[in-house]
Amino acid sequence: MSDPTRRDTGSPISESPLAKWVLIGLAIAYLLAFLVLPLVSVFVEALRSGLDAYLSALIEPDALSAIRLTLLVSAIAVPANVIFGLAASWAIAKFEFPAKSFLITLIDLPFSVSPVISGLVYVLLFGAQGFFGPWLIAHKVQIIFAVPGIVLATIFVTFPFVARQLIPLMQAQGNDDEEAALSLGAGGFRTFWSVTLPNVKWALLYGVLLCNARAMGEFGAVSVVSGHIRGLTNTMPLHVEILYNEYNFVAAFAVASLLALLALVTLVLKSFLEWRYGRELAASAGH
């Protein structure tokens, strides 16, 4: 029985219309100031001198080399992370083994380590004065200041994205489907392709999108290991920095606009997946 003398203080969601619209207005103003306006300014600056200057900046040899290298690195790093993410999530979600928690912690390591530090680690390992440096020099193998070093640094900073999408989803789904398939005579490989993979395909695609966006836009780790060799080891973010430092603003913003377009495409696809397969993706994000 309710107490008639008790005051109704309301619930946390029963705010006044004024408070609601003030909060919405502040959120919109914040997004406009720190996200939308900088993004718009990139395209405005890129097209300031006209479409011809914009296209000329994109087809310039060093720009094309940076674009090709960025696509090549992503084409290697993303599939590698997909393989690792599937293997790690399968092992963690479906099996019990010692040091399981330690493995999960290692997967999260790139989120807590500065990309610059991760680049320096590879320099210490594979540089001329590094641990493996003398052996690499003796066998004429170059990793640092070459494409292999850029690929390794990119893989390091991006490998958690796929695994962190799949692990909680596989854990939430349990082993019932796989056990049913095995009881019907399916082998382990067929069970994975016919049961496990279809159950996580949208979360996998979601992780691939995030991984690819980070791979193409990575600056810190790649900057340390690339050597900034123009036309050879500069990715798009590094090429933008060089152009900007040379006061070639139109070319710098033109290349930057390609990265911004990548971010927008990723955002659209991400929003579509969240709208269409929100429940499954929520399960993968709720760990």
Side-chain angles (χ1 to χ4, degrees):
M1 185 174 181
S2 62
D3 185 355
T5 63
R6 183 179 177 181
R7 295 182 60 186
D8 184 8
T9 57
S11 67
I13 61 173
S14 60
E15 299 290 346
S16 66
L18 177 61
K20 179 180 70 174
W21 288 112
V22 167
L23 291 174
I24 293 174
L26 287 175
I28 293 175
Y30 187 89
L31 290 174
L32 287 175
F34 293 100
L35 292 178
V36 177
L37 290 180
L39 189 61
V40 171
S41 67
V42 169
F43 292 96
V44 171
E45 291 296 329
L47 296 170
R48 181 179 294 276
S49 298
L51 185 60
D52 290 339
Y54 176 82
L55 295 176
S56 297
L58 295 181
I59 62 175
E60 190 265 336
D62 288 341
L64 290 176
S65 175
I67 294 171
R68 285 194 296 266
L69 180 58
T70 301
L71 295 176
L72 173 64
V73 171
S74 297
I76 298 173
V78 174
N81 285 324
V82 168
I83 295 172
F84 168 80
L86 286 169
S89 58
W90 174 270
I92 291 171
K94 307 298 182 180
F95 302 98
E96 294 294 332
F97 54 89
K100 181 175 178 178
S101 298
F102 181 66
L103 177 58
I104 297 175
T105 301
L106 287 180
I107 291 174
D108 289 335
L109 186 63
F111 288 143
S112 57
V113 175
S114 168
V116 174
I117 300 301
S118 64
L120 287 174
V121 168
Y122 284 107
V123 173
L124 293 175
L125 287 175
F126 304 115
Q129 306 301 321
F131 185 78
F132 298 107
W135 185 90
L136 293 173
I137 293 174
H139 291 80
K140 297 182 180 181
V141 177
Q142 186 172 2
I143 294 180
I144 301 302
F145 308 148
V147 174
I150 298 174
V151 171
L152 288 174
T154 303
I155 289 175
F156 180 87
V157 298
T158 58
F159 79 79
F161 288 96
V162 174
R164 293 309 301 173
Q165 290 297 321
L166 295 180
I167 291 171
L169 180 58
M170 286 188 177
Q171 289 176 331
Q173 290 176 344
N175 299 330
D176 292 344
D177 291 343
E178 286 81 1
E179 290 174 354
L182 292 172
S183 67
L184 294 174
F189 188 76
R190 183 176 180 183
T191 299
F192 175 79
W193 282 104
S194 302
V195 178
T196 304
L197 192 58
N199 286 341
V200 300
K201 58 183 178 181
W202 298 117
L204 175 62
L205 179 58
Y206 190 83
V208 167
L209 287 174
L210 298 178
C211 180
N212 184 67
R214 177 66 186 273
M216 287 191 174
E218 175 56 31
F219 179 84
V222 171
S223 178
V224 174
V225 302
S226 72
H228 294 265
I229 304 173
R230 199 162 187 165
L232 292 176
T233 63
N234 274 342
T235 59
M236 291 169 64
L238 301 183
H239 188 59
V240 170
E241 182 198 29
I242 289 178
L243 293 173
Y244 191 85
N245 290 337
E246 293 176 348
Y247 302 101
N248 190 352
F249 298 128
V250 172
F253 282 105
V255 179
S257 69
L258 291 182
L259 292 173
L261 285 173
L262 167 67
L264 291 175
V265 170
T266 302
L267 179 62
V268 170
L269 293 175
K270 174 176 175 288
S271 299
F272 171 76
L273 289 175
E274 290 175 341
W275 168 75
R276 182 65 179 83
Y277 305 100
R279 187 170 299 176
E280 179 177 344
L281 295 173
S284 66
H287 182 61

